[in-house]
Amino acid sequence: MTDRTHTPGPAREEAGAPTPFPSRQARNRGRFPFRQPRNRGRAPARLRSARLRPADVVRLGSTGLRTRPLRVFLSALGIAIGVAAMIAVVGISGSGQAEVDRRLDALGTNLLRVAPGESLSGEKAELPEESVAMVRRIPPVREVAATGETGAHVYRNERIAVGHTGSLSVLAADTGLLPAVGGRLREGRWLDPATEEYPAVVLGATAAQRLDVYRPGTRVRIGDRWFSLIGVLDPVPLAPELDAAALVGRPAARTYLGFDGHPSTVYVRAEDSRVAAVRDVLAATAYPEKPGEVRVSRPSDALAAREATESALTGLLLGLGGVALLVGGVGVGNTMVISVLERRTEIGLRRALGATRAQIRTQFVMESLLLSLIGGLAGTVLGTLITSGYALSRDWPTVVPVWASAAGIGSTLVIGAVAGLYPAVRASGLSPTRALAGT
């Protein structure tokens, strides 16, 4: 008969009987085939999203551009036209200003002009005949020369009607006039002591053109007498009134044209450092009795005023260039919106593979920046070429300010970032399932 008495645990273990509940020591010794996980009760580790390096961001942004070259070209062209317009306007204006400065440096800014004003009765005043000699006594004055109105008119021949003067004047001129005003001869010679007493004439550039007379030795009719042409002047920037004038010697003007000897304009060259001081005393020196009837001006100030007028026009053209640049930015934004619509599947796939919203936004903003940068660089090169071509055609120095190029490229980057922001946010907001489904 089998003994059914209960045997304690250790005895049953020694007998080899299976234990329904193994002890902790047995489990620790590896006798139990299943182990409990050590991180029991802990939360599972979270997956980290991949980080994009700057090189990866640039590569992703350029991928969309490389796959659509024609659209990229057309969009970048709008940006390039705006930048090129801005740089060309600034460059041409700067080149023109450099040319004016170069001319002023060559001609000098120390030229002063003295002319009669109006008397108290409203009539035109007259400078005394001694005004040139009195102005020459001012110590800082280097050169003094004068012209006087004769009242005569110049004609190409005797068959021209008397009233058809072509708005040309005849002036009595001193022999020292040409160096005083910085003028140059195009043809022939200038008046000198050997010719100023005889019926010889020198024509300004505009007068020679209107009379169609250029060759020295040709005769022209002044008043009721024939004068022989001995020279033709180049345009005189600091004394443009001489361009439309026929210049004869003072003695010949007295003899043949009834000149009264009163100067109508006195040209004064002073030391550069004393120009302001000389200007203050010119009126009282030229006409001590009535200094209020004397006008003193500085021809270089007229050139500066003309440059200021051109600067105002430059500002208007810059505004037009800015509008063109803004239109190019709208084109970039439109391109990026269409790109988002066409690449929904790509966006959904990237989101399903773990790309974050921030990475999607960064990709599309970078694509917009690259597109704008291409247009900005192309526009900078195009604007520089336009400026160089125009300056060379006018024989000007080529000036393209560095700040203009930097501002053009910087503005394109700002416009690109703004234009690409909305499409980037829209792309990052697409859910992976809807994007992959194409809805």
Side-chain angles (χ1 to χ4, degrees):
M1 187 173 182
T2 306
D3 186 6
R4 297 179 179 272
T5 306
H6 175 72
T7 306
R12 294 176 64 90
E13 292 179 4
E14 294 177 0
T19 305
F21 300 101
S23 64
R24 182 176 300 176
Q25 292 81 2
R27 290 198 304 269
N28 292 340
R29 288 195 301 266
R31 295 178 178 180
F32 194 74
F34 302 101
R35 283 183 174 271
Q36 296 292 334
R38 294 185 177 181
N39 59 346
R40 184 178 181 182
R42 298 180 183 177
R46 300 181 61 183
L47 295 177
R48 296 182 179 179
S49 59
R51 294 183 179 180
L52 294 179
R53 296 173 298 179
D56 297 329
V57 174
V58 175
R59 180 175 55 82
L60 286 174
S62 61
T63 300
L65 303 182
R66 292 195 303 267
T67 56
R68 299 167 179 82
L70 181 59
R71 184 180 299 173
V72 169
F73 171 76
L74 295 177
S75 299
L77 183 62
I79 291 287
I81 291 175
V83 175
M86 294 179 63
I87 292 181
V89 168
V90 175
I92 292 175
S93 177
S95 300
Q97 185 176 359
E99 174 65 15
V100 171
D101 294 339
R102 187 176 70 174
R103 290 183 180 181
L104 288 178
D105 292 339
L107 298 173
T109 58
N110 59 344
L111 177 64
L112 299 171
R113 181 167 53 194
V114 181
E118 293 183 355
S119 62
L120 295 177
S121 60
E123 298 178 355
K124 186 177 180 179
E126 285 187 347
L127 294 176
E129 297 184 31
E130 301 81 8
S131 57
V132 175
M134 292 187 292
V135 170
R136 189 174 286 115
R137 296 176 183 176
I138 302 176
V141 171
R142 294 180 178 178
E143 297 177 0
V144 181
T147 59
E149 297 178 357
T150 63
H153 299 287
V154 56
Y155 303 93
R156 182 175 180 179
N157 52 54
E158 71 278 6
R159 291 185 293 274
I160 304 299
V162 176
H164 296 173
T165 63
S167 300
L168 303 179
S169 59
V170 179
L171 302 178
D174 293 337
T175 55
L177 176 65
L178 202 60
V181 298
R184 295 183 301 177
L185 281 167
R186 179 187 302 175
E187 297 285 345
R189 57 186 293 187
W190 176 244
L191 299 169
D192 54 31
T195 57
E196 66 174 350
E197 298 181 358
Y198 299 96
V201 61
V202 176
L203 295 179
T206 303
Q209 180 181 6
R210 292 178 183 175
L211 295 174
D212 196 20
V213 176
Y214 302 96
R215 182 178 302 176
T218 306
R219 295 195 309 166
V220 295
R221 193 168 185 83
I222 300 179
D224 57 355
R225 190 175 183 88
W226 290 98
F227 279 67
S228 179
L229 178 66
I230 63 173
V232 177
L233 298 179
D234 276 332
V236 185
L238 294 181
E241 64 275 5
L242 300 180
D243 294 341
L247 305 170
V248 300
R250 291 175 68 87
R254 286 179 180 272
T255 303
Y256 304 110
L257 303 177
F259 176 54
D260 58 5
H262 292 279
S264 57
T265 306
V266 180
Y267 301 94
V268 182
R269 286 277 185 180
E271 296 180 4
D272 294 337
S273 59
R274 307 291 297 278
V275 173
V278 172
R279 185 175 184 173
D280 293 338
V281 300
L282 267 181
T285 305
Y287 202 173
E289 296 180 1
K290 300 177 180 180
E293 298 181 2
V294 179
R295 295 181 303 168
V296 179
S297 61
R298 191 173 182 177
S300 57
D301 293 342
L303 293 180
R306 186 181 67 183
E307 182 63 26
T309 303
E310 294 177 354
S311 298
L313 179 61
T314 299
L316 175 61
L317 295 178
L318 277 178
L320 296 178
V323 172
L325 187 59
L326 181 60
V327 172
V330 173
V332 171
N334 184 43
T335 299
M336 296 307 302
V337 170
I338 296 175
S339 179
V340 170
L341 295 177
E342 292 180 348
R343 297 162 63 185
R344 292 167 64 94
T345 304
E346 174 192 341
I347 297 169
L349 182 59
R350 289 202 60 217
R351 291 281 285 124
L353 293 177
T356 63
R357 296 177 183 268
Q359 291 173 352
I360 298 296
R361 286 195 299 268
T362 304
Q363 172 186 349
F364 281 89
V365 169
M366 176 56 65
E367 185 173 331
S368 178
L369 288 175
L370 290 176
L371 180 57
S372 300
L373 181 60
I374 292 173
L377 293 176
T380 300
V381 174
L382 182 61
T384 302
L385 292 177
I386 293 174
T387 301
S388 301
Y390 186 84
L392 291 176
S393 66
R394 301 292 298 272
D395 196 21
W396 290 357
T398 302
V399 177
V400 179
V402 178
W403 66 265
S405 301
I409 296 177
S411 60
T412 58
L413 292 178
V414 172
I415 290 178
V418 174
L421 186 59
Y422 170 72
V425 172
R426 183 173 180 178
S428 65
L430 295 175
S431 64
T433 54
R434 297 186 61 185
L436 289 173
T439 58

